[in-house]
Structures are given as structure tokens and as C-alpha cells.
Amino acid sequence: MKITCVYDEGAKVHTPLIGAKGTSFAIDVDGHRVLFDTGLRDKYLITNLDILEMEPDSFDAVVISQSHPDNSRALNGFLKERSEPIDVYAPAGIFEGNRTLFSRGIALSEEARSKAVFHDILGWTDVVPGVTVSPMLPSGESFLVLGNGAAVISGRGINGPAEMLDMVQDRFGRKARTFIGSVLLEKVKKNVAAGYATDFNERGCTEL
């Protein structure tokens, strides 16, 4: 399994990769490739994919963790770059209608919509073998589980890691050792960060 950060608020130094608001990861496992979230700007997503030599048509599925624009808005441009439709797993309803940034929905062009086969995230779902999307959390987001519980990928982590890690142990009967992606630190409040550190330690998640 290989996990590549495609889009983040920082970019690797001494590379042409673009850092901008949002998050996106590519997961390669056993001949399958999944895109988890897209970031905010489709131009930046497509540029980074090109630099990383990842053609949009090389992906087998897309998972959108939530309706926040930082995680989902660049889907429109990604789909327009494809020649064939792709399975898109997303919260129910976020691609319906012509929503705007202020309603935190996604307006897809007719061209982009024709390239998507939508699946509502309603429960634990295997996207490809070894990659599972979680049910929607009360916070309005889902997350990815890799390797039957070995690792978690979070797109935002609004309420920190504890709920996600506990759900993985309940579902897969093992502790997730690795956590990749985001937790919301409320502008880096020290008490919040300390609480999250305790959550990781108590649950045996040591690779961040």
C-alpha cells in the first residue's frame, strides 16, 4: 500500500507542488487507486496530480469525506478531466442542486456530473479491497480505514481522533496504529492539543 499526499495547506519544499487550502490523498493498494477528498481548487489538484504523474483516469474511486469546500470543491475539475465515469462515495445530498460556497455544497457542471456514479455513505463500505469508508459521524464527516483497521485517514477530524479510533477497534477488533491527515485544533489551543495527544496515546496509535 502506498499513500501520497496530493494536496495540503503546505507543499514539499524544492518541488513544483502547490500548497493551498484543503486536503487530498491518493491511496494505491493491490492495483487499485482511490482519491480521498479533493482540496478546494481544482486547478491546483490537477496540477499536483500531473506533477505526481497520476492521471485522473488512473483512479478507481473517489471518497468525499464531508461537504466542507476545503475537502470537496475540486471534485468538479477532477471529474471533467476524466474520460470515463468513476464511483464517487459522498455524504447524501451534497451534490444535489446548484449550491454555493456559503451553503457548503458543491455545484457540479453537467459535464462533471456525467462522469460520476454517486454512492451515498450510509455505513461501513469497502471502496476497494483494503480501503473502507466509515459511516458518517455526528460531526458530518466520514474517514477512511486502511488494511482492515491498521490505519486511519482523516480529512478534517472536527472532534479529534478518539471517536474514529474507537470505531475502528469496535469494527475491526484491533487498534489502529497509524493516523494520517487532519484533526481540528481550534487555532492550536494547547489544552485541545494535549487532549488529542492523550487520546492517541491511550489508544496505542503511535504513528502520526
Side-chain angles (χ1 to χ4, degrees):
M1 183 176 291
K2 180 180 180 181
I3 303 160
T4 304
C5 183
V6 176
Y7 190 126
D8 198 7
E9 296 193 12
K12 190 174 182 179
V13 297
H14 309 306
T15 75
L17 293 167
I18 299 171
K21 201 168 186 179
T23 300
S24 181
F25 292 94
I27 300 99
D28 289 279
V29 54
D30 294 336
H32 298 282
R33 177 173 283 171
V34 176
L35 187 68
F36 178 63
D37 285 343
T38 64
L40 181 65
R41 304 290 182 190
D42 49 12
K43 180 179 178 180
Y44 299 160
L45 175 70
I46 298 305
T47 296
N48 286 354
L49 287 172
D50 183 58
I51 292 166
L52 295 167
E53 299 182 344
M54 294 182 176
E55 294 289 336
D57 276 334
S58 71
F59 288 85
D60 299 292
V62 180
V63 177
I64 300 296
S65 67
Q66 60 206 277
S67 62
H68 197 287
D70 292 359
N71 300 80
S72 53
R73 183 164 289 277
L75 178 66
N76 190 69
F78 174 83
L79 292 173
K80 288 165 67 175
E81 292 291 319
R82 287 185 55 87
S83 60
E84 298 291 337
I86 187 172
D87 290 317
V88 178
Y89 298 83
I94 71 169
F95 298 108
E96 294 176 0
N98 186 24
R99 297 186 178 189
T100 68
L101 177 66
F102 302 103
S103 63
R104 293 196 170 183
I106 304 302
L108 294 180
S109 69
E110 289 302 315
E111 179 186 0
R113 194 174 293 276
S114 71
K115 303 286 182 63
V117 179
F118 289 111
H119 305 272
D120 293 341
I121 298 174
L122 301 174
W124 292 102
T125 304
D126 292 333
V127 180
V128 299
V131 179
T132 303
V133 63
S134 77
M136 299 301 298
L137 303 179
S139 58
E141 64 181 314
S142 62
F143 58 93
L144 281 191
V145 181
L146 309 181
N148 294 320
V152 167
I153 301 186
S154 166
R156 193 162 180 83
I158 296 171
N159 292 326
E163 184 175 23
M164 290 182 273
L165 295 174
D166 289 346
M167 286 175 64
V168 168
Q169 184 161 12
D170 289 344
R171 172 70 177 185
F172 297 94
R174 63 185 293 184
K175 294 181 179 180
R177 187 179 65 180
T178 303
F179 188 98
I180 301 164
S182 304
V183 288
L184 188 62
L185 283 172
E186 300 182 12
K187 298 186 178 179
V188 198
K189 291 181 179 178
K190 290 184 179 180
N191 62 323
V192 175
Y196 289 174
T198 298
D199 290 339
F200 282 122
N201 286 327
E202 288 181 346
R203 290 162 178 79
C205 189
T206 57
E207 297 180 354
L208 310 179

